[in-house]
Short mmCIF file of all heavy atoms in Angstrom, two decimals:
data_model
loop_
_atom_site.label_atom_id
_atom_site.label_comp_id
_atom_site.label_asym_id
_atom_site.label_seq_id
_atom_site.Cartn_x
_atom_site.Cartn_y
_atom_site.Cartn_z
N THR A 190 0.83 -1.20 0.00
CA THR A 190 0.00 0.00 0.00
C THR A 190 0.87 1.25 0.00
O THR A 190 2.02 1.22 0.41
CB THR A 190 -0.95 0.03 1.22
OG1 THR A 190 -0.17 0.06 2.39
CG2 THR A 190 -1.92 -1.14 1.19
N GLU A 191 0.29 2.33 -0.40
CA GLU A 191 1.00 3.61 -0.47
C GLU A 191 1.16 4.22 0.91
O GLU A 191 0.23 4.24 1.70
CB GLU A 191 0.20 4.55 -1.37
CG GLU A 191 0.85 5.87 -1.62
CD GLU A 191 0.01 6.75 -2.54
OE1 GLU A 191 -0.61 6.21 -3.45
OE2 GLU A 191 -0.01 7.95 -2.28
N GLU A 192 2.36 4.71 1.21
CA GLU A 192 2.60 5.39 2.48
C GLU A 192 1.92 6.76 2.46
O GLU A 192 1.97 7.47 1.46
CB GLU A 192 4.10 5.57 2.71
CG GLU A 192 4.83 4.29 2.98
CD GLU A 192 4.57 3.74 4.36
OE1 GLU A 192 4.42 4.54 5.31
OE2 GLU A 192 4.52 2.51 4.49
N VAL A 193 1.29 7.13 3.56
CA VAL A 193 0.62 8.42 3.67
C VAL A 193 1.28 9.18 4.82
O VAL A 193 1.40 8.66 5.92
CB VAL A 193 -0.89 8.25 3.96
CG1 VAL A 193 -1.55 9.59 4.15
CG2 VAL A 193 -1.55 7.46 2.84
N GLU A 194 1.70 10.40 4.54
CA GLU A 194 2.31 11.21 5.58
C GLU A 194 1.24 11.68 6.55
O GLU A 194 0.16 12.09 6.15
CB GLU A 194 3.02 12.41 4.96
CG GLU A 194 4.22 12.01 4.12
CD GLU A 194 5.00 13.19 3.61
OE1 GLU A 194 5.01 14.24 4.29
OE2 GLU A 194 5.60 13.06 2.53
N GLU A 195 1.55 11.59 7.84
CA GLU A 195 0.59 11.90 8.88
C GLU A 195 0.02 13.31 8.79
O GLU A 195 -1.14 13.53 9.09
CB GLU A 195 1.23 11.67 10.25
CG GLU A 195 0.22 11.50 11.35
CD GLU A 195 0.86 11.02 12.64
OE1 GLU A 195 1.64 10.06 12.61
OE2 GLU A 195 0.54 11.63 13.68
N GLU A 196 0.81 14.28 8.35
CA GLU A 196 0.30 15.65 8.28
C GLU A 196 -0.75 15.81 7.18
O GLU A 196 -1.46 16.81 7.14
CB GLU A 196 1.43 16.67 8.09
CG GLU A 196 2.18 16.55 6.79
CD GLU A 196 3.47 15.74 6.90
OE1 GLU A 196 3.71 15.10 7.93
OE2 GLU A 196 4.24 15.76 5.93
N ASN A 197 -0.88 14.83 6.29
CA ASN A 197 -1.89 14.88 5.24
C ASN A 197 -3.18 14.18 5.63
O ASN A 197 -4.11 14.08 4.83
CB ASN A 197 -1.35 14.26 3.94
CG ASN A 197 -0.23 15.09 3.35
OD1 ASN A 197 -0.19 16.30 3.52
ND2 ASN A 197 0.68 14.43 2.68
N VAL A 198 -3.26 13.65 6.84
CA VAL A 198 -4.44 12.91 7.31
C VAL A 198 -5.28 13.81 8.20
O VAL A 198 -4.77 14.43 9.13
CB VAL A 198 -4.01 11.64 8.09
CG1 VAL A 198 -5.22 10.94 8.66
CG2 VAL A 198 -3.22 10.71 7.18
N GLU A 199 -6.57 13.89 7.88
CA GLU A 199 -7.50 14.68 8.70
C GLU A 199 -8.70 13.81 9.04
O GLU A 199 -9.23 13.11 8.18
CB GLU A 199 -7.97 15.92 7.95
CG GLU A 199 -6.83 16.90 7.69
CD GLU A 199 -7.32 18.18 7.04
OE1 GLU A 199 -8.39 18.68 7.44
OE2 GLU A 199 -6.63 18.66 6.13
N LEU A 200 -9.13 13.84 10.30
CA LEU A 200 -10.29 13.08 10.74
C LEU A 200 -11.56 13.87 10.47
O LEU A 200 -11.58 15.09 10.61
CB LEU A 200 -10.20 12.77 12.23
CG LEU A 200 -9.05 11.88 12.67
CD1 LEU A 200 -9.06 11.75 14.19
CD2 LEU A 200 -9.12 10.53 12.02
N ILE A 201 -12.60 13.16 10.11
CA ILE A 201 -13.94 13.76 10.01
C ILE A 201 -14.69 13.25 11.22
O ILE A 201 -14.89 12.05 11.40
CB ILE A 201 -14.64 13.35 8.70
CG1 ILE A 201 -13.83 13.85 7.51
CG2 ILE A 201 -16.06 13.89 8.68
CD1 ILE A 201 -14.34 13.39 6.17
N ARG A 202 -15.08 14.17 12.09
CA ARG A 202 -15.71 13.81 13.36
C ARG A 202 -17.19 14.21 13.37
O ARG A 202 -17.57 15.21 12.78
CB ARG A 202 -15.01 14.51 14.52
CG ARG A 202 -13.56 14.13 14.64
CD ARG A 202 -12.90 14.93 15.76
NE ARG A 202 -11.47 14.70 15.80
CZ ARG A 202 -10.89 13.79 16.56
NH1 ARG A 202 -11.60 13.04 17.35
NH2 ARG A 202 -9.58 13.66 16.54
N SER A 203 -17.97 13.45 14.10
CA SER A 203 -19.39 13.75 14.28
C SER A 203 -19.54 14.95 15.21
O SER A 203 -18.82 15.06 16.21
CB SER A 203 -20.12 12.55 14.87
OG SER A 203 -21.44 12.89 15.19
N GLN A 204 -20.46 15.83 14.88
CA GLN A 204 -20.77 16.96 15.75
C GLN A 204 -21.73 16.53 16.87
O GLN A 204 -21.96 17.28 17.81
CB GLN A 204 -21.42 18.09 14.94
CG GLN A 204 -20.51 18.66 13.87
CD GLN A 204 -19.31 19.38 14.46
OE1 GLN A 204 -19.40 20.03 15.49
NE2 GLN A 204 -18.18 19.25 13.80
N ASN A 205 -22.30 15.33 16.74
CA ASN A 205 -23.29 14.84 17.69
C ASN A 205 -22.80 13.57 18.37
O ASN A 205 -22.05 12.80 17.78
CB ASN A 205 -24.61 14.52 16.97
CG ASN A 205 -25.14 15.72 16.22
OD1 ASN A 205 -24.82 15.93 15.06
ND2 ASN A 205 -25.92 16.53 16.89
N VAL A 206 -23.23 13.36 19.61
CA VAL A 206 -22.95 12.12 20.33
C VAL A 206 -24.12 11.19 20.08
O VAL A 206 -25.28 11.61 20.14
CB VAL A 206 -22.79 12.40 21.85
CG1 VAL A 206 -22.65 11.11 22.62
CG2 VAL A 206 -21.61 13.32 22.09
N GLY A 207 -23.84 9.94 19.78
CA GLY A 207 -24.90 8.98 19.54
C GLY A 207 -24.35 7.69 18.98
O GLY A 207 -23.19 7.35 19.20
N ILE A 208 -25.18 6.98 18.23
CA ILE A 208 -24.82 5.70 17.62
C ILE A 208 -24.63 5.90 16.13
O ILE A 208 -25.52 6.42 15.46
CB ILE A 208 -25.91 4.64 17.90
CG1 ILE A 208 -26.16 4.47 19.39
CG2 ILE A 208 -25.55 3.31 17.24
CD1 ILE A 208 -24.96 3.98 20.18
N PHE A 209 -23.48 5.48 15.62
CA PHE A 209 -23.20 5.61 14.19
C PHE A 209 -23.98 4.55 13.42
O PHE A 209 -24.03 3.39 13.81
CB PHE A 209 -21.71 5.44 13.92
CG PHE A 209 -21.37 5.49 12.45
CD1 PHE A 209 -21.36 6.70 11.78
CD2 PHE A 209 -21.09 4.33 11.75
CE1 PHE A 209 -21.07 6.75 10.42
CE2 PHE A 209 -20.79 4.37 10.40
CZ PHE A 209 -20.78 5.58 9.74
N ARG A 210 -24.61 4.97 12.34
CA ARG A 210 -25.31 4.05 11.43
C ARG A 210 -24.71 4.20 10.05
O ARG A 210 -24.66 5.30 9.49
CB ARG A 210 -26.81 4.35 11.39
CG ARG A 210 -27.51 4.15 12.72
CD ARG A 210 -27.50 2.70 13.11
NE ARG A 210 -28.14 2.53 14.41
CZ ARG A 210 -27.95 1.47 15.18
NH1 ARG A 210 -27.14 0.51 14.79
NH2 ARG A 210 -28.56 1.37 16.32
N SER A 211 -24.24 3.10 9.52
CA SER A 211 -23.68 3.08 8.17
C SER A 211 -24.84 3.07 7.18
O SER A 211 -25.61 2.13 7.13
CB SER A 211 -22.81 1.84 7.99
OG SER A 211 -22.30 1.80 6.69
N THR A 212 -24.98 4.14 6.42
CA THR A 212 -26.11 4.25 5.48
C THR A 212 -25.64 4.22 4.03
O THR A 212 -26.47 4.17 3.13
CB THR A 212 -26.90 5.55 5.73
OG1 THR A 212 -26.01 6.66 5.64
CG2 THR A 212 -27.55 5.54 7.11
N VAL A 213 -24.33 4.26 3.81
CA VAL A 213 -23.78 4.20 2.46
C VAL A 213 -22.60 3.22 2.46
O VAL A 213 -21.95 3.03 3.48
CB VAL A 213 -23.31 5.58 1.96
CG1 VAL A 213 -24.47 6.52 1.78
CG2 VAL A 213 -22.30 6.20 2.89
N LYS A 214 -22.36 2.59 1.33
CA LYS A 214 -21.23 1.67 1.20
C LYS A 214 -20.00 2.46 0.78
O LYS A 214 -19.99 3.09 -0.28
CB LYS A 214 -21.53 0.60 0.14
CG LYS A 214 -22.68 -0.30 0.49
CD LYS A 214 -22.22 -1.34 1.46
CE LYS A 214 -23.36 -2.33 1.70
NZ LYS A 214 -23.14 -3.14 2.85
N LEU A 215 -18.99 2.46 1.63
CA LEU A 215 -17.72 3.14 1.33
C LEU A 215 -16.58 2.16 1.52
O LEU A 215 -16.51 1.48 2.55
CB LEU A 215 -17.51 4.34 2.26
CG LEU A 215 -18.47 5.51 2.09
CD1 LEU A 215 -18.25 6.53 3.20
CD2 LEU A 215 -18.26 6.16 0.74
N ALA A 216 -15.72 2.08 0.54
CA ALA A 216 -14.56 1.19 0.62
C ALA A 216 -13.31 2.02 0.86
O ALA A 216 -13.23 3.19 0.46
CB ALA A 216 -14.43 0.40 -0.67
N THR A 217 -12.34 1.42 1.52
CA THR A 217 -11.04 2.07 1.69
C THR A 217 -10.50 2.45 0.32
O THR A 217 -10.57 1.66 -0.61
CB THR A 217 -10.07 1.13 2.41
OG1 THR A 217 -10.62 0.79 3.69
CG2 THR A 217 -8.72 1.78 2.61
N GLY A 218 -10.05 3.68 0.20
CA GLY A 218 -9.54 4.18 -1.07
C GLY A 218 -10.58 4.93 -1.89
O GLY A 218 -10.26 5.50 -2.92
N SER A 219 -11.83 4.96 -1.40
CA SER A 219 -12.89 5.68 -2.11
C SER A 219 -12.62 7.18 -2.11
O SER A 219 -12.17 7.73 -1.10
CB SER A 219 -14.25 5.45 -1.44
OG SER A 219 -14.65 4.12 -1.52
N ALA A 220 -12.93 7.83 -3.22
CA ALA A 220 -12.86 9.29 -3.28
C ALA A 220 -14.05 9.86 -2.53
O ALA A 220 -15.18 9.38 -2.67
CB ALA A 220 -12.87 9.76 -4.73
N ILE A 221 -13.79 10.85 -1.69
CA ILE A 221 -14.83 11.51 -0.90
C ILE A 221 -14.92 12.96 -1.36
O ILE A 221 -13.90 13.63 -1.49
CB ILE A 221 -14.48 11.46 0.61
CG1 ILE A 221 -14.31 10.02 1.10
CG2 ILE A 221 -15.53 12.20 1.43
CD1 ILE A 221 -15.53 9.17 1.03
N LYS A 222 -16.12 13.45 -1.56
CA LYS A 222 -16.34 14.83 -1.99
C LYS A 222 -16.92 15.64 -0.83
O LYS A 222 -17.65 15.11 0.02
CB LYS A 222 -17.32 14.89 -3.17
CG LYS A 222 -16.82 14.19 -4.41
CD LYS A 222 -15.67 14.95 -5.01
CE LYS A 222 -15.20 14.29 -6.29
NZ LYS A 222 -13.96 14.85 -6.75
N LYS A 223 -16.61 16.92 -0.79
CA LYS A 223 -17.17 17.82 0.21
C LYS A 223 -18.69 17.76 0.11
O LYS A 223 -19.26 17.84 -0.98
CB LYS A 223 -16.68 19.24 -0.02
CG LYS A 223 -17.17 20.22 1.01
CD LYS A 223 -16.59 21.60 0.79
CE LYS A 223 -17.10 22.54 1.86
NZ LYS A 223 -16.50 23.87 1.74
N GLY A 224 -19.36 17.59 1.26
CA GLY A 224 -20.81 17.51 1.30
C GLY A 224 -21.37 16.11 1.12
O GLY A 224 -22.58 15.91 1.25
N GLN A 225 -20.51 15.13 0.86
CA GLN A 225 -20.96 13.75 0.67
C GLN A 225 -21.37 13.13 2.00
O GLN A 225 -20.68 13.25 3.00
CB GLN A 225 -19.85 12.92 0.04
CG GLN A 225 -20.22 11.48 -0.21
CD GLN A 225 -19.11 10.70 -0.90
OE1 GLN A 225 -18.19 11.28 -1.46
NE2 GLN A 225 -19.20 9.39 -0.85
N LYS A 226 -22.50 12.44 2.00
CA LYS A 226 -22.98 11.76 3.21
C LYS A 226 -22.13 10.52 3.47
O LYS A 226 -21.91 9.71 2.57
CB LYS A 226 -24.45 11.37 3.03
CG LYS A 226 -25.07 10.76 4.26
CD LYS A 226 -26.55 10.52 4.04
CE LYS A 226 -27.17 9.84 5.22
NZ LYS A 226 -28.62 9.63 5.01
N LEU A 227 -21.64 10.39 4.71
CA LEU A 227 -20.79 9.27 5.10
C LEU A 227 -21.52 8.30 6.01
O LEU A 227 -21.07 7.18 6.21
CB LEU A 227 -19.54 9.79 5.80
CG LEU A 227 -18.71 10.81 5.02
CD1 LEU A 227 -17.58 11.33 5.86
CD2 LEU A 227 -18.21 10.20 3.73
N GLY A 228 -22.62 8.72 6.59
CA GLY A 228 -23.39 7.89 7.50
C GLY A 228 -24.36 8.77 8.28
O GLY A 228 -24.55 9.94 7.96
N THR A 229 -24.96 8.18 9.31
CA THR A 229 -25.92 8.88 10.15
C THR A 229 -25.57 8.63 11.61
O THR A 229 -25.10 7.54 11.95
CB THR A 229 -27.35 8.37 9.86
OG1 THR A 229 -27.66 8.60 8.50
CG2 THR A 229 -28.38 9.06 10.72
N VAL A 230 -25.78 9.63 12.45
CA VAL A 230 -25.62 9.46 13.89
C VAL A 230 -27.00 9.57 14.52
O VAL A 230 -27.71 10.55 14.35
CB VAL A 230 -24.67 10.53 14.48
CG1 VAL A 230 -24.58 10.38 16.00
CG2 VAL A 230 -23.29 10.42 13.85
N GLU A 231 -27.38 8.50 15.20
CA GLU A 231 -28.68 8.42 15.85
C GLU A 231 -28.52 8.88 17.30
O GLU A 231 -27.72 8.34 18.05
CB GLU A 231 -29.16 6.97 15.82
CG GLU A 231 -30.55 6.74 16.32
CD GLU A 231 -30.91 5.27 16.24
OE1 GLU A 231 -30.70 4.65 15.17
OE2 GLU A 231 -31.40 4.75 17.25
N SER A 232 -29.28 9.92 17.65
CA SER A 232 -29.16 10.51 18.98
C SER A 232 -30.55 10.91 19.47
O SER A 232 -31.21 11.73 18.83
CB SER A 232 -28.24 11.73 18.92
OG SER A 232 -28.18 12.37 20.16
N VAL A 233 -30.99 10.32 20.58
CA VAL A 233 -32.29 10.61 21.18
C VAL A 233 -33.39 10.53 20.12
O VAL A 233 -34.18 11.45 19.94
CB VAL A 233 -32.29 11.99 21.89
CG1 VAL A 233 -33.52 12.13 22.78
CG2 VAL A 233 -31.04 12.22 22.69
N SER A 234 -33.39 9.43 19.38
CA SER A 234 -34.38 9.14 18.33
C SER A 234 -34.34 10.12 17.16
O SER A 234 -35.25 10.13 16.34
CB SER A 234 -35.79 9.08 18.91
OG SER A 234 -35.85 8.04 19.87
N LEU A 235 -33.32 10.96 17.07
CA LEU A 235 -33.14 11.84 15.92
C LEU A 235 -31.96 11.32 15.11
O LEU A 235 -31.02 10.74 15.64
CB LEU A 235 -32.85 13.27 16.38
CG LEU A 235 -33.94 13.97 17.16
CD1 LEU A 235 -33.43 15.33 17.67
CD2 LEU A 235 -35.17 14.16 16.32
N HIS A 236 -32.02 11.54 13.80
CA HIS A 236 -30.95 11.09 12.92
C HIS A 236 -30.25 12.32 12.33
O HIS A 236 -30.90 13.18 11.74
CB HIS A 236 -31.52 10.22 11.81
CG HIS A 236 -32.15 8.96 12.33
ND1 HIS A 236 -31.45 7.80 12.46
CD2 HIS A 236 -33.40 8.72 12.79
CE1 HIS A 236 -32.25 6.88 12.98
NE2 HIS A 236 -33.43 7.42 13.18
N HIS A 237 -28.95 12.38 12.52
CA HIS A 237 -28.14 13.50 12.02
C HIS A 237 -27.19 12.96 10.96
O HIS A 237 -26.43 12.03 11.23
CB HIS A 237 -27.33 14.13 13.16
CG HIS A 237 -28.16 14.56 14.33
ND1 HIS A 237 -28.82 15.75 14.34
CD2 HIS A 237 -28.43 13.94 15.49
CE1 HIS A 237 -29.47 15.86 15.50
NE2 HIS A 237 -29.25 14.77 16.20
N ASP A 238 -27.25 13.53 9.76
CA ASP A 238 -26.34 13.09 8.69
C ASP A 238 -24.91 13.48 9.04
O ASP A 238 -24.65 14.58 9.52
CB ASP A 238 -26.72 13.74 7.36
CG ASP A 238 -27.99 13.16 6.77
OD1 ASP A 238 -28.40 12.06 7.19
OD2 ASP A 238 -28.57 13.79 5.88
N LEU A 239 -24.00 12.57 8.79
CA LEU A 239 -22.57 12.83 8.93
C LEU A 239 -22.04 13.05 7.52
O LEU A 239 -22.08 12.13 6.70
CB LEU A 239 -21.86 11.65 9.60
CG LEU A 239 -20.36 11.76 9.78
CD1 LEU A 239 -20.01 12.95 10.67
CD2 LEU A 239 -19.80 10.48 10.38
N VAL A 240 -21.62 14.28 7.23
CA VAL A 240 -21.16 14.62 5.88
C VAL A 240 -19.71 15.10 5.92
O VAL A 240 -19.25 15.65 6.92
CB VAL A 240 -22.06 15.69 5.21
CG1 VAL A 240 -23.47 15.19 5.03
CG2 VAL A 240 -22.06 16.97 6.00
N SER A 241 -19.03 14.88 4.82
CA SER A 241 -17.63 15.31 4.71
C SER A 241 -17.57 16.82 4.54
O SER A 241 -18.35 17.41 3.80
CB SER A 241 -16.99 14.63 3.50
OG SER A 241 -15.68 15.09 3.34
N ASP A 242 -16.61 17.44 5.21
CA ASP A 242 -16.43 18.88 5.08
C ASP A 242 -15.27 19.22 4.15
O ASP A 242 -14.85 20.36 4.06
CB ASP A 242 -16.23 19.53 6.46
CG ASP A 242 -15.04 18.99 7.21
OD1 ASP A 242 -14.44 17.99 6.75
OD2 ASP A 242 -14.69 19.56 8.26
N ARG A 243 -14.75 18.19 3.43
CA ARG A 243 -13.64 18.40 2.50
C ARG A 243 -13.59 17.26 1.49
O ARG A 243 -14.16 16.21 1.71
CB ARG A 243 -12.32 18.48 3.27
CG ARG A 243 -11.97 17.19 3.98
CD ARG A 243 -10.72 17.29 4.84
NE ARG A 243 -10.91 18.10 6.03
CZ ARG A 243 -11.35 17.62 7.19
NH1 ARG A 243 -11.67 16.37 7.32
NH2 ARG A 243 -11.45 18.40 8.23
N ASP A 244 -12.90 17.51 0.39
CA ASP A 244 -12.61 16.46 -0.59
C ASP A 244 -11.42 15.65 -0.09
O ASP A 244 -10.57 16.17 0.63
CB ASP A 244 -12.23 17.06 -1.95
CG ASP A 244 -13.38 17.77 -2.64
OD1 ASP A 244 -14.54 17.54 -2.28
OD2 ASP A 244 -13.10 18.56 -3.56
N GLY A 245 -11.36 14.38 -0.46
CA GLY A 245 -10.22 13.57 -0.09
C GLY A 245 -10.40 12.12 -0.45
O GLY A 245 -11.25 11.77 -1.27
N THR A 246 -9.62 11.27 0.19
CA THR A 246 -9.66 9.83 -0.02
C THR A 246 -9.86 9.15 1.32
O THR A 246 -9.19 9.48 2.29
CB THR A 246 -8.33 9.34 -0.64
OG1 THR A 246 -8.12 10.04 -1.87
CG2 THR A 246 -8.38 7.85 -0.92
N LEU A 247 -10.78 8.20 1.37
CA LEU A 247 -11.05 7.46 2.61
C LEU A 247 -9.90 6.48 2.86
O LEU A 247 -9.69 5.56 2.08
CB LEU A 247 -12.37 6.71 2.51
CG LEU A 247 -12.76 5.88 3.73
CD1 LEU A 247 -13.03 6.80 4.92
CD2 LEU A 247 -13.98 5.03 3.43
N LEU A 248 -9.16 6.71 3.93
CA LEU A 248 -8.06 5.81 4.28
C LEU A 248 -8.53 4.69 5.18
O LEU A 248 -8.08 3.55 5.06
CB LEU A 248 -6.93 6.58 4.98
CG LEU A 248 -6.25 7.67 4.16
CD1 LEU A 248 -5.20 8.38 4.99
CD2 LEU A 248 -5.64 7.08 2.89
N GLU A 249 -9.45 5.02 6.11
CA GLU A 249 -9.94 4.03 7.05
C GLU A 249 -11.22 4.56 7.69
O GLU A 249 -11.31 5.73 8.03
CB GLU A 249 -8.90 3.78 8.14
CG GLU A 249 -9.27 2.74 9.14
CD GLU A 249 -8.20 2.52 10.20
OE1 GLU A 249 -7.17 3.22 10.18
OE2 GLU A 249 -8.40 1.64 11.05
N MET A 250 -12.22 3.69 7.82
CA MET A 250 -13.45 4.05 8.52
C MET A 250 -13.28 3.58 9.96
O MET A 250 -13.14 2.38 10.22
CB MET A 250 -14.66 3.36 7.87
CG MET A 250 -15.98 3.81 8.44
SD MET A 250 -16.38 5.50 8.08
CE MET A 250 -17.54 5.28 6.78
N LEU A 251 -13.20 4.51 10.90
CA LEU A 251 -12.91 4.17 12.30
C LEU A 251 -14.14 3.75 13.07
O LEU A 251 -14.01 3.15 14.14
CB LEU A 251 -12.24 5.37 12.97
CG LEU A 251 -10.91 5.80 12.36
CD1 LEU A 251 -10.37 7.03 13.09
CD2 LEU A 251 -9.89 4.67 12.39
N ALA A 252 -15.34 4.04 12.58
CA ALA A 252 -16.58 3.64 13.24
C ALA A 252 -17.32 2.65 12.38
O ALA A 252 -17.40 2.80 11.16
CB ALA A 252 -17.47 4.86 13.51
N SER A 253 -17.86 1.62 13.01
CA SER A 253 -18.68 0.63 12.32
C SER A 253 -20.14 0.84 12.71
O SER A 253 -20.44 1.48 13.73
CB SER A 253 -18.25 -0.78 12.72
OG SER A 253 -16.93 -1.03 12.34
N ASP A 254 -21.04 0.25 11.94
CA ASP A 254 -22.46 0.36 12.22
C ASP A 254 -22.75 -0.10 13.66
O ASP A 254 -22.32 -1.19 14.07
CB ASP A 254 -23.26 -0.50 11.24
CG ASP A 254 -24.74 -0.24 11.31
OD1 ASP A 254 -25.15 0.92 11.21
OD2 ASP A 254 -25.51 -1.21 11.50
N GLY A 255 -23.41 0.76 14.44
CA GLY A 255 -23.76 0.45 15.82
C GLY A 255 -22.77 0.93 16.86
O GLY A 255 -23.04 0.84 18.05
N ASP A 256 -21.63 1.48 16.43
CA ASP A 256 -20.64 1.98 17.38
C ASP A 256 -21.07 3.31 17.99
O ASP A 256 -21.62 4.17 17.28
CB ASP A 256 -19.29 2.23 16.68
CG ASP A 256 -18.50 0.95 16.41
OD1 ASP A 256 -18.93 -0.13 16.87
OD2 ASP A 256 -17.47 1.05 15.72
N PRO A 257 -20.82 3.51 19.29
CA PRO A 257 -21.06 4.83 19.88
C PRO A 257 -20.01 5.82 19.37
O PRO A 257 -18.83 5.46 19.26
CB PRO A 257 -20.93 4.60 21.38
CG PRO A 257 -20.14 3.34 21.52
CD PRO A 257 -20.35 2.54 20.26
N VAL A 258 -20.44 7.02 19.05
CA VAL A 258 -19.52 8.08 18.59
C VAL A 258 -19.78 9.35 19.36
O VAL A 258 -20.83 9.53 19.93
CB VAL A 258 -19.62 8.34 17.08
CG1 VAL A 258 -19.13 7.14 16.30
CG2 VAL A 258 -21.01 8.72 16.65
#
């Protein structure tokens, strides 16, 4: 695999606390566009879309469906 310099890696974090729900299929290496939906965070019976705030490449999905975030 290609080496990635740490200063080029940025995390996309949920603004809400809750349970992550995987609502789209994303594979490692997928191109991500600003505004693209990455999943949903379920909090107090409300669903909040988790969207990318930048263009980039998905290196690793750190949350799985059902994980607390």
Side-chain angles (χ1 to χ4, degrees):
T190 62
E191 184 179 324
E192 291 286 325
V193 177
E194 293 185 30
E195 199 169 312
E196 65 264 10
N197 293 331
V198 175
E199 295 184 40
L200 296 176
I201 298 174
R202 299 176 187 266
S203 173
Q204 298 293 324
N205 304 90
V206 174
I208 303 297
F209 177 76
R210 297 294 178 200
S211 179
T212 56
V213 294
K214 296 281 185 195
L215 293 172
T217 300
S219 296
I221 302 296
K222 298 290 182 190
K223 182 176 181 177
Q225 180 177 344
K226 185 175 177 179
L227 305 175
T229 300
V230 177
E231 186 180 312
S232 176
V233 194
S234 299
L235 297 174
H236 297 268
H237 306 277
D238 288 342
L239 178 61
V240 297
S241 176
D242 59 351
R243 64 185 71 88
D244 292 342
T246 302
L247 179 66
L248 297 178
E249 182 179 3
M250 186 67 102
L251 299 178
S253 298
D254 190 53
D256 283 352
V258 293

